[in-house]
Amino acid sequence: DIVMTQTPLSLSVTPGQPASISCKSSQSLLHSDGQTYLHWYLQRPGQSPQLLIYELSSRFSGVPDRFSGSGSGTDFTLKISRVEAEDVGVYYCMQGTHLPVTFGGGTKVEIK
Amino acid sequence: QLQLQESGPRLMKPSETLSLNCTVSGGSISNSNYYWGWVRQPPGKGLEWIGSIYSSGSTYYNPSLKSRVTISVDASKNQVFLELSSVTAADTAVFFCARHSGLLMFGVTYAFDIWGQGTMVTVSS
């Protein structure tokens, strides 16, 4: 199975400041079709996960443009350009390039 | 607007078989090119993919659970079902159903774009 490692485990951010979350995979997530099936989710407290970024860098419908995804191969990053109070929760990366689907352990984002 | 709602028992005893339903509203399971997946989350922990079923009925399971899992659909009721046999305390979790696309026969899973609210299942004697 592909192991997804997220860092840091937690992050405390002042509103308006940027935040960055790293996700590393144990194998390359570049598929032979040229796509990278790396997705990002936010799970707010007491809620189900919601999709933020799909296929490395595409924002899902309704996701603010302060969220961006980047990376290649085995190293990926989710960036929030200016953190807002509603961004608190746990962020997960997920790989869909290889079966079984696997998720990172999560990064908890809190507001200072 | 498509919505997913999980339902099933809240409390199970060890060795029993867990059966959960996911009712899809606002769209048809059969008239689509989507997969319907199950994901679980033990209390305070991360997410684990259990398996997915295509609208045609093809199933894909996580090898770690494959011997105990069955996913099926009832298109007439617009429902997706999860059965997990021989449960133990380690199976205590919130279970989510979620929609996604992909080409699982080639190993590719697209993002889970719509999730249910989840249902908590506790396994205890």
Side-chain angles (χ1 to χ4, degrees):
Chain A
D1 297 2
I2 306 297
V3 177
M4 306 295 288
T5 303
Q6 284 184 236
T7 55
L9 289 179
S10 64
L11 204 50
S12 185
V13 187
T14 300
Q17 293 300 302
S20 181
I21 298 170
S22 171
C23 175
K24 296 184 187 297
S25 57
S26 60
Q27 294 181 33
S28 175
L29 299 186
L30 176 63
H31 193 268
S32 56
D33 66 5
Q35 297 296 318
T36 299
Y37 297 100
L38 186 282
H39 319 299
W40 289 95
Y41 301 87
L42 164 61
Q43 186 175 31
R44 294 192 171 106
Q47 296 186 16
S48 54
Q50 59 184 84
L51 178 61
L52 294 175
I53 302 289
Y54 63 96
E55 292 170 29
L56 188 63
S57 59
S58 297
R59 271 187 304 276
F60 187 54
S61 174
V63 174
D65 61 8
R66 65 178 181 274
F67 290 92
S68 64
S70 64
S72 65
T74 61
D75 289 356
F76 309 97
T77 302
L78 175 71
K79 292 183 178 178
I80 311 173
S81 60
R82 297 173 304 279
V83 172
E84 297 187 6
E86 65 179 17
D87 300 337
V88 297
V90 181
Y91 291 77
Y92 293 96
C93 58
M94 172 199 130
Q95 70 81 20
T97 299
H98 308 278
L99 285 177
V101 168
T102 49
F103 293 86
T107 295
K108 185 175 184 178
V109 172
E110 299 174 323
I111 298 295
K112 281 184 181 176
Chain B
Q1 180 180 358
L2 195 78
Q3 292 185 320
L4 284 63
Q5 177 69 59
E6 305 88 348
S7 61
R10 300 297 183 96
L11 184 61
M12 306 280 301
K13 293 187 184 302
S15 81
E16 292 182 333
T17 294
L18 170 65
S19 296
L20 295 177
N21 297 349
C22 174
T23 300
V24 179
S25 59
S28 172
I29 286 180
S30 55
N31 296 330
S32 67
N33 292 319
Y34 289 105
Y35 294 82
W36 307 92
W38 287 93
V39 175
R40 69 178 182 177
Q41 184 174 38
K45 295 188 178 181
L47 302 164
E48 179 182 32
W49 176 69
I50 298 170
S52 298
I53 187 166
Y54 191 49
S55 52
S56 66
S58 299
T59 53
Y60 302 85
Y61 299 129
N62 192 324
S64 67
L65 295 167
K66 186 175 183 177
S67 64
R68 298 195 291 132
V69 172
T70 302
I71 297 176
S72 59
V73 295
D74 184 333
S76 66
K77 295 182 179 179
N78 233 28
Q79 289 182 325
V80 184
F81 304 101
L82 170 69
E83 285 193 339
L84 181 65
S85 65
S86 305
V87 297
T88 69
D91 295 310
T92 294
V94 175
F95 287 77
F96 299 99
C97 60
R99 186 188 79 167
H100 65 96
S101 298
L103 293 167
L104 269 67
M105 70 284 283
F106 299 118
V108 171
T109 308
Y110 298 171
F112 294 83
D113 61 350
I114 300 176
W115 295 67
Q117 66 183 34
T119 187
M120 178 69 199
V121 178
T122 301
V123 181
S124 174
S125 55

